[in-house]
Amino acid sequence: MGEKVALLTDGRFSGATRGMCIGYVGPEAAADTLAIMCGGDAKAVADTEPVLRAYVARVTRMGACGAGQATKLANQAIVVTTIAGIAEACVLAQRVGIDAAAIPAALQGGWADSVLLQTLLPRMLTPPSTPSGTITTMLNEDLDVVAELARDAGSPRRAVGEVSRLLQEAVAQGRGDDDISQIVQVLIEQMAERAQ
């Protein structure tokens, strides 16, 4: 009997705002916007790419097996720190009398523009009745894994560490199942406490 060799790859999705959870990519997740970051042998990734293309628009090999997961964690660090920045900008705008609802249109096309800004700032101003995207607990857990990877790699995580504390506060306040946009409420409450 001939020897059989199995080549392993890892891959993590990014790009969907709905229709995805662990182990599932539903029809709501638009295949034309999804990307997958893969780790593994170049041939193994190339061999799996035709299958993956049924679900995603882009397949990128990031390095050895495990690099897909590490890339997704880097993605989550970028996403969460951006969301926290949007929340702070929302509160600042309201404090200084800016029409915060006009910010997405005013910044459209500039360096500060992003899908996150266009999607989440309106939700920060008018909270959704049900989470319409990622919940706080999920990103808080992701940041725990980011922290572990950063420790193992000896990498700094100053911004991510601060944002992690913000998410932990949100969870401690019972906002863990809220839409991630509602971390803005933690900042609003802190502002109210300081005013007393």
Side-chain angles (χ1 to χ4, degrees), residues 29-167:
D32 62 340
T33 63
L34 287 176
I36 188 167
M37 297 81 67
C38 292
D41 176 81
K43 181 178 180 340
V45 172
D47 288 349
T48 59
E49 186 168 344
V51 174
L52 297 173
R53 289 240 175 227
Y55 298 97
V56 301
R58 190 173 60 256
V59 177
T60 307
R61 179 178 177 267
M62 301 305 296
C65 202
Q69 169 72 358
T71 305
K72 178 63 176 186
L73 293 173
N75 175 81
Q76 297 304 78
I78 293 166
V79 166
V80 178
T81 54
T82 301
I83 294 169
I86 293 167
E88 287 187 357
C90 179
V91 172
L92 174 64
Q94 291 174 319
R95 292 287 292 172
V96 298
I98 294 171
D99 178 5
I103 289 175
L107 301 183
Q108 193 168 19
W111 278 28
D113 192 17
S114 67
V115 171
L116 292 169
L117 175 69
Q118 297 297 329
T119 305
L120 295 181
L121 195 135
R123 290 186 203 165
M124 291 175 184
L125 297 171
T126 306
S129 56
T130 59
S132 49
T134 303
I135 61 170
T136 303
T137 299
M138 189 175 2
L139 284 178
N140 187 46
E141 291 168 357
D142 284 352
L143 288 187
D144 288 342
V145 183
V146 170
E148 184 179 332
L149 180 64
R151 272 193 303 274
D152 291 348
S155 178
R157 57 179 199 93
R158 292 173 65 174
V160 171
E162 191 61 36
V163 173
S164 181
R165 284 187 284 283
L166 174 62
L167 268 59

